[in-house]
Amino acid sequence: MQDINVALVGHRFMGKAHTHAYRDVNLFFPSVPYRPRLKVIAGRDPAAVQEAADLLGWEESSTDWQEAVTRDDIDLVDVATPNYLHADVAITAAEAGKQVICEKPLAVTVPQARAMVAAVEKAGVRNTICFHFRRYPAVRLARKLIEDGELGDIYHFRGWFLAERFADPATPLGWRMQQELAGFGVFGDLGSHVLDIARFLLGDVRSVCGNFATYIKERPTPEGGSGTVTVDDCAQVLMQFANGAQGILEVTKLARGNKNNFGFEVNGSKGSIRFYFERLNELQYYCGDDPGPLTGFRTIHASDSVQHDYMHGYWPAAAHSIGYGEAFIHIVKDFLEALGSGEPMSPDFVDGLRVQEIMEAVGTSVQDRGWADVASPG
């Protein structure tokens, strides 16, 4: 097994999640062709990034991300920074010939996302974006049921991501609440996940009609003053898919009582499926052919090590559940296997660009107060 040297830019919440994946991927999937080596972790605060390196097991720490990602001994660069740095770090890494993994959303703007796609394509480096909800066995089972025609003709998609993280007006103003640093607010942060799952299950979105609101317009700053929130607190979107299906999306961080309520439902001519992230090992399935007394949703526990994606790497019997962090292991597993085999990696930066283009169309719709077309692929 060959070592692959990793530079991680970003060391807080997502930095820990990504480190967990690099440290454990060979434990659960020993057949992957590479062994990640935690070479250098980069961040702005010298003390904080060194503390993260010590805690997480990185060999070195750095406060100079440009130097870290262009080093000759680095093979793979992982971008886990705030959104406004994604383009600069990823493009610099690609131009230096590094493979690139990037957090979502891909960028702040569509031009940035297009520049990132152009950079990785010109350099010929492999790339992926961390839409981790694709990597749970129950979600992949949902896609298989759709692809196999078990739901028949697809009519409806409804997706949601409800949380209460910003419901307290005393929550300080952060980069996620500033348009120039984040692009969008909750719509870009949580809504990008819902949009990616919608595309993963049903294909491309053709047109959208959106609505944004900002209820808490001022928040305290770390310096003791107050600052203006320049992004959305909540968003609703109507979607028309290219295959003729209709979609509804709702996201908010002001929904009291909701901790991490991500989910979706798909309805077709023959059946329906439901997924709730807070029960992430389960998929609910309704078959319209069930006889009358047995009609209703059944719960499938997607942890069978034989039938469901990824589970063969974990525990020997069904119903030994996996958790949030395992999806990041699956991203790294699939990426390392794609590097070794030369097979396509999905999702890649092009998928990130498509989500960015949908978000831009929604922004146009909100501004114009009407329907907006999504840019055609390519």
Side-chain angles (χ1 to χ4, degrees):
M1 183 181 295
Q2 181 179 346
D3 283 352
I4 185 168
N5 291 341
V6 183
L8 173 63
V9 186
H11 59 86
R12 299 192 187 279
F13 170 33
M14 295 318 305
K16 179 180 286 189
H18 291 208
T19 300
H20 162 59
Y22 294 121
R23 290 174 63 92
D24 285 350
V25 64
N26 297 121
L27 172 64
F28 293 109
F29 300 99
S31 65
V32 297
Y34 296 97
R35 179 188 299 107
R37 182 175 176 183
L38 308 185
K39 195 67 179 173
V40 58
I41 186 170
R44 289 173 294 185
D45 184 315
V49 72
Q50 183 59 56
E51 181 181 2
D54 295 338
L55 175 66
L56 301 176
W58 290 83
E59 295 179 19
E60 304 172 45
S61 68
S62 174
T63 56
D64 184 345
W65 69 257
Q66 291 95 336
E67 186 274 336
V69 306
T70 57
R71 284 170 36 166
D72 291 340
D73 61 345
I74 294 301
D75 306 303
L76 188 160
V77 170
D78 188 319
V79 187
T81 66
N83 301 350
Y84 69 96
L85 284 172
H86 286 186
D88 286 346
V89 179
I91 290 171
T92 300
E95 289 175 344
K98 316 303 183 185
Q99 320 302 325
V100 189
I101 295 176
C102 187
E103 259 303 326
K104 60 78 209 165
L106 190 60
V108 171
T109 66
V110 167
Q112 281 186 355
R114 288 176 178 159
M116 294 169 73
V117 170
V120 295
E121 290 181 347
K122 180 179 179 180
V125 297
R126 306 307 292 274
N127 55 92
T128 193
I129 180 170
C130 293
F131 284 129
H132 65 85
F133 286 104
R134 289 190 182 204
R135 289 301 196 287
Y136 294 107
V139 175
R140 298 176 80 81
L141 175 60
R143 175 167 159 150
K144 186 176 188 304
L145 291 173
I146 293 171
E147 289 179 336
D148 289 350
E150 297 295 335
L151 273 58
D153 297 328
I154 302 303
Y155 298 147
H156 307 298
F157 169 89
R158 60 187 60 83
W160 60 88
F161 206 143
L162 314 178
E164 63 175 0
R165 298 168 209 168
F166 293 167
D168 185 350
T171 300
L173 186 74
W175 66 265
R176 287 184 174 85
M177 304 171 189
Q178 300 172 66
Q179 185 177 25
E180 67 275 15
L181 303 181
F184 292 92
V186 67
F187 181 54
D189 189 16
L190 304 185
S192 61
H193 276 306
V194 184
L195 289 174
D196 180 68
I197 287 298
R199 291 187 68 247
F200 181 63
L201 297 177
L202 272 67
D204 266 323
V205 175
R206 185 173 64 193
S207 57
V208 292
C209 184
N211 179 57
F212 292 167
T214 304
Y215 289 103
I216 303 175
K217 297 178 171 61
E218 296 286 326
R219 290 186 179 270
T221 63
E223 295 77 22
S226 66
T228 302
V229 175
T230 55
V231 294
D232 52 282
D233 278 337
C234 60
Q236 304 85 32
V237 182
L238 300 177
M239 298 179 286
Q240 177 74 46
F241 290 86
N243 66 3
Q246 305 286 331
I248 299 174
L249 172 153
E250 181 184 12
V251 291
T252 180
K253 288 187 179 179
L254 303 182
R256 292 281 192 177
N258 288 272
K259 303 303 181 183
N260 218 25
N261 183 3
F262 166 77
F264 60 80
E265 180 170 321
V266 180
N267 309 123
S269 60
K270 294 170 57 179
S272 297
I273 50 175
R274 290 177 184 157
F275 173 78
Y276 299 96
F277 176 64
E278 291 171 342
R279 302 182 69 91
L280 65 84
N281 289 278
E282 298 175 358
L283 182 70
Q284 294 188 346
Y285 169 55
Y286 174 85
C287 178
D289 293 334
D290 284 342
L294 301 179
T295 188
F297 278 91
R298 69 188 71 170
T299 298
I300 302 168
H301 204 286
S303 64
D304 190 301
S305 60
V306 175
Q307 296 183 34
H308 301 305
D309 282 1
Y310 303 115
M311 293 307 300
H312 67 277
Y314 293 97
W315 320 117
H320 285 127
S321 300
I322 61 172
Y324 168 78
E326 278 69 19
F328 294 91
I329 295 177
H330 302 160
I331 291 171
V332 171
K333 168 195 175 289
D334 290 347
F335 193 71
L336 297 181
E337 289 181 341
L339 283 178
S341 68
E343 293 295 317
M345 178 64 191
S346 180
D348 60 9
F349 279 15
V350 173
D351 292 292
L353 170 60
R354 290 301 293 153
V355 169
Q356 203 82 39
E357 289 171 337
I358 298 170
M359 291 195 296
E360 181 181 77
V362 173
T364 299
S365 165
V366 170
Q367 183 175 358
D368 295 345
R369 300 187 63 80
W371 283 87
D373 292 335
V374 179
S376 299

